[in-house]
Amino acid sequence: MLAEADAVSDAEVGQVLAHLPPGSFVRHYVETMALYSDAPAIFHLGAALILLAAAFPMDCQIEGPGQPLRGNIFVLLSGPPGSSRKSTCI
């Protein structure tokens, strides 16, 4: 089971967002949703990645040295019921 100390802080999410281009969908989504919801930024980041993956057509892939890379993603929003505000991000 994850401990409270294992949680990702909003500052750590901010460091990840700082590496994204200013106009990128993920960065814009997380910054905008933070204005409307008190849920942790990591939940908004997960929701943004889910939306981005859902927007990819099934036949969209990136060719590489191994098997093609597709936009499949699995995200688990984990937190205490009620107080963690998971459902406000979905």
Side-chain angles (χ1 to χ4, degrees), residues 63-89:
E63 299 295 333
Q67 293 182 341
L69 180 63
R70 292 188 168 78
N72 298 340
I73 189 168
F74 299 92
V75 174
L76 174 67
L77 302 179
S78 177
S83 63
S84 62
R85 314 293 289 161
K86 297 178 298 292
S87 61
T88 61
C89 296

Side-chain angles (χ1 to χ4, degrees), residues 1-22:
M1 181 169 204
L2 292 175
E4 185 84 20
D6 294 329
V8 177
S9 71
D10 287 354
E12 291 172 314
V13 173
Q15 291 174 353
V16 170
L17 295 179
H19 292 287
L20 298 175

